[in-house]
C-alpha cells in the first residue's frame, strides 16, 4: 500500500494550476470570514494568555517561554513573536491569527488533494474507484 504522495503522478499543468487556484480561494475565504475580528480588543482568556503574561515580553528568556504553559509552548512562543513585532496591540495578534488560519486552510487543502490523488491511483477493484463491471 502506497503512502500519501509516495507515487509521482504526472498531472497536467492545468490541473495543478486549478489546485493552486482552489487552495488560494479557500485561503481567501478563510481570511474573509475572520477579517471582521481584526479590530476587536482582547477578550476572555486573552487577559491571562497575553496581557498578564510576563514570559512573552522577551524572546531571550526561552526557559520562561517553555515553562509558562508547558502543554502549549508553541502558542506562547507565537505570542512572544507577536509581542516583539506588534507590542501589546490586539490588531497584530488578530492579523497573525488570521494569516496562520489561512496557511492552515491551504495545508489542509493540500493534504486532502494528496489523499484524493492517492485514492485515485489505487487498483481498479478498489471501493473508491470501482470498475464499470462492478458498478453495472
Amino acid at each position: 500500500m502506497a503512502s500519501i504522495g509516495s507515487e509521482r503522478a504526472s498531472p497536467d499543468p492545468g490541473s495543478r494550476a486549478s489546485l493552486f487556484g482552489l487552495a488560494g480561494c479557500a485561503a481567501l475565504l478563510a481570511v474573509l470570514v475572520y477579517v471582521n475580528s481584526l479590530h476587536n480588543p482582547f477578550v476572555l482568556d486573552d487577559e491571562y494568555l497575553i496581557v498578564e503574561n510576563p514570559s512573552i515580553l522577551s524572546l531571550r528568556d526561552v526557559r520562561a517561554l517553555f515553562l509558562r504553559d508547558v502543554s502549549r509552548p508553541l502558542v506562547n512562543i507565537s505570542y512572544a513573536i507577536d509581542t516583539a513585532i506588534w507590542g501589546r496591540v490586539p490588531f497584530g495578534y488578530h492579523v497573525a491569527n488570521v494569516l496562520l488560519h489561512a496557511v492552515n486552510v491551504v495545508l489542509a487543502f493540500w493534504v486532502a488533494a494528496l489523499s484524493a490523488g492517492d485514492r485515485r491511483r489505487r487498483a481498479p477493484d478498489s471501493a473508491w474507484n470501482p470498475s464499470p463491471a462492478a458498478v453495472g
Side-chain angles (χ1 to χ4, degrees):
M1 180 167 129
S3 63
I4 295 175
S6 64
E7 298 177 23
R8 284 230 176 239
S10 54
D12 62 77
S15 69
R16 179 170 282 172
S18 66
L19 278 177
F20 282 121
L22 288 172
C25 287
L28 179 63
L29 184 61
V31 169
L32 290 175
V33 167
Y34 288 104
V35 76
N36 65 342
S37 71
L38 294 179
H39 294 288
N40 290 340
F42 289 131
V43 295
L44 304 174
D45 61 346
D46 294 338
E47 289 296 322
Y48 169 75
L49 294 173
I50 298 169
V51 177
E52 298 172 1
N53 186 353
S55 71
I56 64 173
L57 296 177
S58 172
L59 288 168
R60 293 182 182 163
D61 192 359
V62 177
R63 186 168 189 242
L65 287 172
F66 278 92
L67 295 180
R68 163 71 178 193
D69 188 354
V70 294
S71 64
R72 298 173 12 152
L74 289 178
V75 173
N76 211 35
I77 292 169
S78 171
Y79 291 153
I81 292 170
D82 286 338
T83 302
I85 295 170
W86 304 97
R88 295 274 177 116
V89 179
F91 178 80
Y93 290 85
H94 296 317
V95 167
N97 285 337
V98 169
L99 292 177
L100 285 172
H101 189 68
V103 167
N104 283 324
V105 166
V106 170
L107 291 174
F109 190 92
W110 178 69
V111 168
L114 284 176
S115 297
D118 191 51
R119 290 191 187 276
R120 285 191 298 265
R121 287 192 297 265
R122 293 185 191 268
D125 60 343
S126 169
W128 293 100
N129 189 13
S131 68
V135 174

